[in-house]
Amino acid sequence: MKIAVAKEIEVCERRVALIPDTVAKLVKQGLEVWVEAGAGEKAFFSDADYEAAGAKISHDSAQVWSEADILLKVSPPQTREDGRTEIELLKSGSVLISFLNPLGNPVIAQQLANRQITALSMELIPRTTRAQSMDALSSQASLAGYKAVLIAAAALPKYFPMLTTAAGTIPPAKVFIMGAGVAGLQAIATARRLGAVVEAFDIRPAVKEEVQSLGAKFVEVKLEEETVAAGGYAKEISEDSKKRTQELVASHVKNSDIVITTAQVPGRQAPRLVTEEMVAQMKPGSVIVDLAAEQGGNCACTEAGKDIVWNGVTIIGPINLPSSMPVHASQLYAKNITSLMQLLIKDKALEINFSDDIVDAACVTHGGEIRNQRVKDALQAVAV
Ligand code: NAD
């Protein structure tokens, strides 16, 4: 059985699905690992490193794709320069493991089903204790939360920590984190380490203690509706609750030097938390980093992939932040993906067992069918 690591062609993608250390572990299990030449280059892992770990390097990309029994990737399949899609290159009946964004782009699921691919989407790994080592959403969100604070600190025309110097006293920067999930909690921890005074807000009341344990103040809004959906994720809240939360957070946004927004509701457009009016109230020189830029933005002024200055406030809408730290992003992702593979390979052979809840949840397509009802619904909505 051939396991292959693809070279990413998406322009912003610098991560790679396996790093040499994880290749060595798979090879030790008696598995055959192929790596497309240059696959790890942008993450600073050379072909020689992979070869030393026991992988075979192939310069024939089409061959790697068409012969792999399990193809490992980071970004969803793309269209190549020659106009062929990567999905077309896959061997019918093979397994693809990657981020696939099947809820945001359900057409991809249909294309994979048509090619009889068994596709496992890293976004669909359940957020359970047993699946923790496979949870790529968490490993990558944590990198994004960390980097968001560094970007904000670099853009802020001020210090972060309080300083008492012979030339005077500098007050600490005020940071407001909106959305205290995995990225938000890492952003809180990072901003605290840099010496800022941090406040955080989330509609899930359960995060209050986590926020406080990181040394931040929790901004609480009491809503009269259930805000938590299955799996611990946030629900989309009513218009009335949105209005109440906006009223509550407005003064915190106004008084902050930095606002970092991370709020998401799976499968939906990102909730709008920061309005134009709120940005207009912020001090010139303040900075907003919107981690939901790719999902439509938590801030009304965000432009995905751009840094803009609006009324003196810098608004940064980064795309694919984990990819800007490709060494550790790849290391963590490689661990996530190899942990998942341990559920799929028994005695060096592929064994897709749908009675395993993790495999069942992550597998989007199998046997020519889309297996996930939410993806089917999303596909139908696109078709209408
Ligand atoms: P996410 O990226 O979907 O959302 C980020 C945060 O935005 C969440 O905390 C969410 O509550 C918040 N949010 C959504 N709408 C909002 C609004 N209108 N206003 C303010 N905040 C809003 O979430 P995530 O970080 O991927 O994870 C969230 C959940 O998954 C958490 O419950 C976490 O505990 C759980 N989780 C569990 C495990 C595990 O048990 N193994 C692992 C990872 C995450």
Side-chain angles (χ1 to χ4, degrees):
M1 186 176 56
K2 266 190 186 176
I3 297 167
V5 179
K7 178 175 177 169
E8 303 292 327
I9 58 171
E10 208 273 316
V11 278
C12 297
E13 192 53 78
R14 296 173 60 194
R15 294 169 291 180
V16 60
L18 289 185
I19 65 164
D21 274 3
T22 46
V23 167
K25 284 183 187 137
L26 294 173
V27 170
K28 212 168 158 195
Q29 287 176 30
L31 298 165
E32 187 181 346
V33 182
W34 285 73
V35 175
E36 240 188 287
E41 220 166 60
K42 290 183 184 163
F44 307 98
F45 301 109
S46 69
D47 289 349
D49 295 336
Y50 284 105
E51 240 168 351
K56 296 192 174 83
I57 304 295
S58 173
H59 291 267
D60 185 343
S61 173
Q63 186 196 22
V64 171
W65 281 74
S66 62
E67 290 185 5
D69 298 298
I70 303 182
L71 196 291
L72 306 177
K73 256 187 88 27
V74 184
S75 279
Q78 307 286 312
T79 302
R80 302 193 153 218
E81 273 177 5
D82 62 6
R84 294 182 77 192
T85 66
E86 290 181 323
I87 293 175
E88 283 172 60
L89 298 177
L90 284 164
K91 177 166 78 177
S92 178
S94 63
V95 174
L96 170 69
I97 311 179
S98 180
F99 279 123
L100 296 170
N101 187 20
L103 291 170
N105 182 12
V107 174
I108 214 170
Q110 188 59 67
Q111 292 167 343
L112 288 161
N114 293 348
R115 293 276 302 133
Q116 302 279 327
I117 305 299
T118 298
L120 286 99
S121 172
M122 293 305 282
E123 293 95 337
L124 297 182
I125 299 279
R127 313 297 282 277
T128 56
T129 306
R130 189 169 80 91
Q132 251 171 8
S133 63
M134 306 160 211
D135 184 354
L137 280 183
S138 288
S139 69
Q140 306 301 298
S142 186
L143 289 149
Y146 167 83
K147 194 65 181 276
V149 174
L150 301 190
I151 289 172
L156 187 74
K158 293 182 175 181
Y159 267 122
F160 251 49
M162 189 182 114
L163 293 174
T164 308
T165 78
T169 300
I170 305 284
K174 288 184 184 162
V175 175
F176 185 35
I177 313 277
M178 302 177 84
V182 180
L185 291 172
Q186 184 57 257
I188 294 171
T190 308
R192 291 281 302 137
R193 275 184 224 122
L194 286 179
V197 170
V198 184
E199 293 183 326
F201 160 73
D202 199 296
I203 52 169
R204 289 184 301 121
V207 298
K208 179 178 177 177
E209 276 179 28
E210 288 175 276
V211 166
Q212 289 173 337
S213 71
L214 291 169
K217 185 179 158 210
F218 188 62
V219 174
E220 200 161 9
V221 52
K222 294 220 180 328
L223 298 175
E224 275 141 29
E225 63 180 287
E226 184 51 74
T227 55
V228 185
Y233 286 110
K235 263 185 171 172
E236 189 165 29
I237 52 174
S238 66
E239 285 307 315
D240 185 48
S241 293
K242 279 182 197 163
K243 210 166 148 256
R244 284 189 58 192
T245 53
Q246 285 185 350
E247 281 165 9
L248 175 97
V249 298
S251 63
H252 297 270
V253 172
K254 180 181 168 188
N255 294 324
S256 298
D257 298 299
I258 287 178
V259 173
I260 293 176
T261 67
T262 76
Q264 310 245 12
V265 178
R268 304 238 180 245
Q269 175 116 349
R272 186 54 50 84
L273 304 179
V274 182
T275 61
E276 270 188 21
E277 295 73 41
M278 290 184 206
V279 181
Q281 295 281 310
M282 291 178 81
K283 292 182 286 290
S286 306
V287 177
I288 298 174
V289 178
D290 189 343
L291 285 191
E294 279 174 274
Q295 285 73 37
N298 291 142
C299 171
C301 306
T302 300
E303 288 185 38
K306 292 197 179 154
D307 299 1
I308 58 167
V309 179
W310 198 90
N311 246 7
V313 177
T314 301
I315 301 155
I316 302 172
I319 286 178
N320 197 355
L321 269 190
S323 176
S324 70
M325 298 171 62
V327 174
H328 283 153
S330 302
Q331 181 187 321
L332 298 170
Y333 185 76
K335 170 70 183 169
N336 298 145
I337 216 164
T338 42
S339 298
L340 175 61
M341 274 199 295
Q342 302 307 315
L343 302 182
L344 306 174
I345 300 171
K346 295 276 168 301
D347 298 327
K348 295 189 229 171
L350 196 60
E351 195 181 296
I352 310 284
N353 176 10
F354 292 121
S355 62
D356 184 305
D357 64 318
I358 299 173
V359 177
D360 184 45
C363 187
V364 199
T365 61
H366 179 72
E369 303 285 341
I370 298 178
R371 302 183 65 257
N372 182 298
Q373 190 54 45
R374 285 169 67 214
V375 176
K376 283 186 198 169
D377 294 345
L379 187 66
Q380 215 159 21
V382 173
V384 172

